Amino acid sequence: GENVEQHPSTLSVQEGDSAVIKCTYSDSASNYFPWYKQELGKGPQLIIDIRSNVGEKKDQRIAVTLNKTAKHFSLHITETQPEDSAVYFCAARPLKYNDYKLSFGAGTTVTVRA
Amino acid sequence: DAGVTQSPTHLIKTRGQHVTLRCSPISGHKSVSWYQQVLGQGPQFIFQYYEKEERGRGNFPDRFSARQFPNYSSELNVNALLLGDSALYLCASSSWGATDTQYFGPGTRLTVL
């Protein structure tokens, strides 16, 4: 099955700086890579996703890059703000009929210092 | 539009008991998935249902079961609870297909004493 590794496990940044989280995956059949943000006491919220036919996607201060050859993808948050403090999870899913489960990384706790 | 709803929000059980967790998907979504999230870890896939049929199962024991109703809501049942079943149980709603996006509910926090 798919194995997703996520680094770092914790990340502390000064407000206004950038934050980068990196993930690797094992299953070359994976073609969909979402990122979720989870705040304390809440369920994961989708913040951005990318599919294998795209190398980069950007949405305001958030961007994701994908390198299928190396099997890794990254989340970039620019101009960080205190409300960006949360746990971030990467995930991967293969393009297989009847197999649409997401495999998650272990998460990155991001703290933005004011 | 309402998002994914789950009930109850919190639950405390003792070892050996059973529990039923409920989920209502986003209106128009026909697929529901269940995940277990142990404290400090990412969610782990338990089940996926589409049109009342099980379409996927993760590496969980037979004590875990689920079903989906004609209105697309779903129940997750866990029998013979163990201490290790303490976790946040998440329900995700999606349309069906390889390109669908999964939207998560707030979860049910289960504590087994």
Side-chain angles (χ1 to χ4, degrees):
Chain A
E2 175 65 275
N3 181 44
V4 178
E5 295 191 354
Q6 182 171 348
H7 299 281
S9 57
T10 61
L11 182 60
S12 180
V13 296
Q14 189 69 37
E15 182 178 359
D17 289 349
S18 295
V20 180
I21 303 170
K22 298 182 179 182
C23 289
T24 61
Y25 61 98
S26 61
D27 189 346
S28 57
S30 288
N31 78 324
Y32 173 62
F33 308 91
W35 287 86
Y36 287 87
K37 175 184 180 182
Q38 188 173 28
E39 297 176 324
L40 199 62
K42 297 183 179 181
Q45 299 295 309
L46 180 73
I47 56 172
I48 195 168
D49 57 12
I50 191 168
R51 303 183 191 277
S52 60
N53 58 343
V54 176
E56 184 174 358
K57 184 177 179 180
K58 190 174 181 180
D59 182 4
Q60 298 183 338
R61 298 186 297 108
I62 295 174
V64 58
T65 59
L66 171 64
N67 184 327
K68 285 221 74 180
T69 303
K71 294 183 191 172
H72 68 71
F73 55 113
S74 300
L75 177 72
H76 303 252
I77 306 173
T78 59
E79 301 174 13
T80 53
Q81 301 169 5
E83 53 264 37
D84 294 329
S85 296
V87 181
Y88 291 80
F89 292 96
C90 61
R93 189 181 72 203
L95 177 59
K96 295 179 183 176
Y97 180 71
N98 269 358
D99 183 9
Y100 302 145
K101 68 176 182 285
L102 289 171
S103 297
F104 283 83
T108 297
T109 301
V110 174
T111 303
V112 179
R113 306 186 306 272
Chain B
D1 284 343
V4 179
T5 59
Q6 293 186 243
S7 63
T9 55
H10 297 86
L11 204 52
I12 299 176
K13 293 285 188 179
T14 56
R15 284 177 296 175
Q17 288 188 313
H18 71 273
V19 67
T20 298
L21 311 180
R22 296 177 175 83
C23 170
S24 291
I26 293 171
S27 177
H29 283 183
K30 299 182 178 180
S31 180
V32 168
S33 298
W34 288 94
Y35 291 80
Q36 180 196 64
Q37 186 177 23
V38 174
L39 196 62
Q41 297 182 18
Q44 296 291 317
F45 173 77
I46 310 175
F47 287 110
Q48 183 169 33
Y49 275 78
Y50 172 69
E51 291 285 10
K52 296 172 288 181
E53 291 187 8
E54 181 183 306
R55 299 302 183 108
R57 184 185 182 111
N59 188 25
F60 280 80
D62 292 343
R63 299 185 296 108
F64 289 76
S65 64
R67 56 179 175 167
Q68 186 177 33
F69 299 99
N71 66 353
Y72 304 112
S73 66
S74 178
E75 283 183 354
L76 175 70
N77 295 283
V78 186
N79 293 324
L81 286 168
L82 303 174
L83 295 179
D85 295 331
S86 295
L88 180 68
Y89 288 85
L90 296 163
C91 173
S93 162
S94 63
S95 54
W96 179 250
T99 58
D100 71 329
T101 297
Q102 295 192 17
Y103 299 93
F104 284 85
T108 293
R109 173 69 64 186
L110 172 65
T111 301
V112 182
L113 301 177

